[in-house]
Amino acid sequence: MTKENQFTETHQVTYYETDLTGQVTLAMLVDMAVLASYDQAEALGVGTQAMLKQGLGWVITQYEIQVVRLPKDREQLEITTEATSNDRYFANRQFFVRDDDGNLLVHIKAVYVVMDLVARRMIAIPDALIAPYHAPNVKRIPRLPRPSKITEDETFITNDYHVRYFDLDTNHHVNNARYFDWLLDPLGEEFLTKHRLQHVTIRFENEVRYGHTITSVVTTPLTVDGAIVTKHQIVGTGEAQGQTYAEAELTWLVAEAMDEPN
Amino acid sequence: MTKENQFTETHQVTYYETDLTGQVTLAMLVDMAVLASYDQAEALGVGTQAMLKQGLGWVITQYEIQVVRLPKDREQLEITTEATSNDRYFANRQFFVRDDDGNLLVHIKAVYVVMDLVARRMIAIPDALIAPYHAPNVKRIPRLPRPSKITEDETFITNDYHVRYFDLDTNHHVNNARYFDWLLDPLGEEFLTKHRLQHVTIRFENEVRYGHTITSVVTTPLTVDGAIVTKHQIVGTGEAQGQTYAEAELTWLVAEAMDEPN
């Protein structure tokens, strides 16, 4: 049974959407989920091109991601997106990534806003853009959990990343998914191959622009209530020192402790 | 009519395989072509997992790419790969990327070798791995054109890139396609949005490893016989100074001069 505000499509995972362990990367997971929301918009006549003509674009300001397990190379997925609810400025959207047998692999909640691409600022969601989704219009959409701040007594590592031409999308905006590669890379191969991602909260605070160099700050992994936690910040360097672009909090399990034989 | 040594599959382009102009990036183009060769290998029982069990992997040492036009977002493609011929050490493979009406968009020629992944060296192609393709076994496969060297009197720009965790593939090798992002990025948005790629020759000389920082060297674009030419090198920095990882030569057309209304 499909609800009117839902849209479902299938996707077969390719090797270049996976990392060296053969699992889909977080960046590509978000890319393929967002593709479903683009395709829903297209099907409803309010797609990217229609919005670009009005100088508008959807921008994602926050995600909460719950991972049962990451999809694998060659796996056939069913991706459902749902326009859950919206208020005057914010739209709540969910994504459900399922395997071929209908088992839920990943659940994503997201907050979308509409950007005026010329003025580079958020505007009230135009009714013509949101009405076709038939999502409940509410007074105030539920908030997603905020990532915890890095505190002064925590130890951390940092790495710098230059924003590249190929990080830009058709909005001339750095694709949000690219932030996940910057967030995770400083953790290094040793950590990333021995741990499995369980949960992500991320808030995008300010827009990273082409040509910027950003610093990815990651706290030393700490065990809190049985889960391994890393806290992350994407911050400015040079003239942009003091600027925070994004904050995130991730929880992990030791890979060996998981009961998956494959 | 499909030849015994050919394999064809369809692929629908996603937005995250394209750049800000909505055209498939060179890296993603090569990724989706190589996917067809992986799928052919799988269909013939000599796929990646079967090879990894023997500690072996195919590595691409050279490409020649002829671009009629780059595929676009949402376009439905037909990708054909052909095991063209092979000698004792080298296998010649071609890729034909066509649009939904069968028009050729891109033609790729590639040279493949087999690597012993433990010793990190090339070996003679094991007969059991190549026989299933039914490609002609020749004395010596035809060579692909070599990119011209950068000469001392040429001006160039450089940019440094750090090899990231997500650049690694299941061979624990830097995915060849990543080199294309490093090659092109220094050209910058102004050049890249105003020119269309026409032809590429690239030779991979040495393996870039995880943790390396590489320098991408690009000559100032020069018009030679009506085509705009850029010459490229991926070289080592620090301890790896003097090391050449790859050399390439690209030709371009001014985008405005092309008669494509879309």
Side-chain angles (χ1 to χ4, degrees):
Chain A
M1 197 188 69
T2 304
K3 290 200 278 179
E4 204 179 6
N5 57 341
Q6 287 192 347
F7 181 89
T8 297
E9 64 187 18
T10 57
H11 180 80
Q12 168 133 31
V13 176
T14 67
Y15 77 93
Y16 55 92
E17 293 166 341
T18 68
D19 64 16
L20 65 86
T21 71
Q23 295 175 96
V24 165
T25 69
L26 191 53
M28 288 291 190
L29 176 71
V30 168
D31 275 335
M32 63 185 71
V34 169
L35 175 61
S37 75
Y38 284 164
D39 287 343
Q40 181 182 30
E42 211 66 48
L44 295 173
V46 285
T48 309
Q49 288 309 316
M51 287 188 73
L52 276 177
K53 275 181 198 146
Q54 300 175 59
L56 302 176
W58 286 106
V59 168
I60 295 158
T61 63
Q62 216 175 334
Y63 285 113
E64 181 183 9
I65 306 173
Q66 183 74 46
V67 180
V68 180
R69 75 164 171 81
L70 289 167
K72 294 174 198 165
D73 189 13
R74 298 183 173 275
E75 198 162 7
Q76 181 77 25
L77 304 176
E78 187 190 83
I79 303 180
T80 296
T81 184
E82 177 189 280
T84 307
S85 64
N86 59 276
D87 58 28
R88 189 164 143 76
Y89 284 99
F90 299 95
N92 223 316
R93 180 173 282 280
Q94 292 182 85
F95 300 92
F96 304 88
V97 179
R98 295 189 173 89
D99 69 13
D100 213 15
D101 297 322
N103 301 306
L104 184 68
L105 304 186
V106 181
H107 178 206
I108 304 177
K109 292 179 181 176
V111 177
Y112 281 59
V113 299
V114 174
M115 279 262 292
D116 177 320
L117 297 174
V118 178
R120 310 303 284 185
R121 62 179 182 77
M122 192 175 118
I123 61 166
I125 303 173
D127 194 54
L129 289 182
I130 196 78
Y133 290 100
H134 293 286
N137 197 323
V138 297
K139 180 109 184 137
R140 187 183 151 96
I141 63 161
R143 294 292 179 255
L144 296 187
R146 296 177 78 115
S148 334
K149 300 259 178 209
I150 297 176
T151 56
E152 276 188 17
D153 58 328
E154 286 178 287
T155 58
F156 54 81
I157 47 170
T158 69
N159 232 330
D160 285 358
Y161 300 91
H162 190 71
V163 180
R164 303 176 183 177
Y165 174 73
F166 294 109
D167 296 329
L168 298 175
D169 64 21
T170 48
N171 280 351
H172 213 268
H173 187 278
V174 174
N175 176 351
N176 270 340
R178 300 280 71 75
Y179 287 64
F180 293 111
D181 287 348
W182 300 332
L183 286 178
L184 297 177
D185 185 59
L187 285 165
E189 182 184 358
E190 174 75 11
F191 182 88
L192 290 170
T193 54
K194 295 197 172 155
H195 294 82
R196 297 197 187 200
L197 189 62
Q198 219 187 357
H199 189 261
V200 178
T201 54
I202 183 166
R203 265 173 69 95
F204 301 98
E205 311 268 355
N206 287 289
E207 201 185 341
V208 175
R209 302 278 177 98
Y210 178 52
H212 282 178
T213 296
I214 60 89
T215 299
S216 175
V217 182
V218 187
T219 57
T220 309
L222 265 187
T223 302
V224 181
D225 298 334
I228 298 156
V229 176
T230 54
K231 292 194 259 180
H232 303 253
Q233 274 189 334
I234 304 291
V235 297
T237 58
E239 285 177 27
Q241 191 105 37
Q243 179 77 282
T244 301
Y245 297 114
E247 291 185 317
E249 183 172 356
L250 278 57
T251 63
W252 305 83
L253 286 176
V254 175
E256 282 78 1
M258 291 186 70
D259 53 350
E260 204 188 335
N262 190 11
Chain B
M1 194 187 72
T2 304
K3 291 201 278 181
E4 204 180 5
N5 57 341
Q6 287 191 348
F7 180 90
T8 296
E9 64 186 17
T10 58
H11 180 80
Q12 167 132 31
V13 176
T14 67
Y15 77 93
Y16 54 92
E17 293 166 340
T18 68
D19 64 17
L20 63 87
T21 71
Q23 296 176 95
V24 166
T25 69
L26 191 52
M28 287 292 190
L29 176 72
V30 167
D31 275 334
M32 62 185 72
V34 168
L35 175 60
S37 75
Y38 283 163
D39 287 343
Q40 180 182 31
E42 212 64 48
L44 296 174
V46 284
T48 308
Q49 289 309 317
M51 286 187 72
L52 276 177
K53 274 182 198 146
Q54 300 174 59
L56 302 176
W58 287 105
V59 168
I60 296 158
T61 63
Q62 216 174 336
Y63 284 114
E64 181 183 11
I65 306 174
Q66 183 76 45
V67 180
V68 180
R69 74 164 171 82
L70 289 167
K72 293 174 198 167
D73 188 14
R74 298 182 173 276
E75 200 163 6
Q76 181 77 25
L77 305 176
E78 188 192 81
I79 303 179
T80 296
T81 185
E82 176 190 280
T84 308
S85 64
N86 60 275
D87 59 27
R88 189 164 143 77
Y89 285 99
F90 299 96
N92 223 315
R93 179 173 284 278
Q94 292 183 85
F95 300 92
F96 304 89
V97 179
R98 295 189 173 89
D99 70 12
D100 213 14
D101 297 322
N103 302 305
L104 185 69
L105 304 186
V106 181
H107 178 204
I108 305 176
K109 292 179 181 175
V111 177
Y112 280 59
V113 300
V114 174
M115 279 261 292
D116 177 321
L117 297 174
V118 178
R120 310 303 284 183
R121 63 179 181 78
M122 192 175 115
I123 61 166
I125 303 173
D127 195 53
L129 289 183
I130 197 77
Y133 290 100
H134 293 287
N137 197 324
V138 297
K139 181 108 183 133
R140 188 183 149 98
I141 61 162
R143 293 292 179 256
L144 297 187
R146 296 176 79 115
S148 334
K149 300 260 178 209
I150 297 177
T151 57
E152 277 189 16
D153 58 328
E154 286 178 287
T155 58
F156 53 84
I157 48 171
T158 69
N159 232 333
D160 285 359
Y161 299 92
H162 190 72
V163 180
R164 303 176 183 177
Y165 174 73
F166 294 108
D167 296 328
L168 298 174
D169 64 20
T170 47
N171 279 351
H172 213 268
H173 187 278
V174 174
N175 176 351
N176 269 339
R178 300 279 72 74
Y179 287 65
F180 292 111
D181 286 348
W182 300 331
L183 286 177
L184 297 177
D185 184 60
L187 285 165
E189 183 185 357
E190 174 75 11
F191 182 88
L192 290 170
T193 53
K194 294 195 172 156
H195 294 83
R196 295 196 189 200
L197 189 63
Q198 219 186 357
H199 189 261
V200 178
T201 53
I202 183 166
R203 265 174 68 96
F204 301 98
E205 311 268 356
N206 287 289
E207 201 184 343
V208 175
R209 301 278 178 101
Y210 178 53
H212 281 178
T213 296
I214 60 87
T215 301
S216 176
V217 182
V218 187
T219 57
T220 308
L222 265 187
T223 303
V224 180
D225 298 333
I228 298 156
V229 176
T230 54
K231 292 194 259 181
H232 303 253
Q233 273 189 336
I234 304 290
V235 298
T237 58
E239 283 177 30
Q241 191 105 36
Q243 179 77 282
T244 301
Y245 297 114
E247 291 185 317
E249 184 174 356
L250 277 57
T251 64
W252 306 82
L253 286 177
V254 175
E256 282 78 1
M258 291 187 69
D259 53 350
E260 203 189 335
N262 191 8

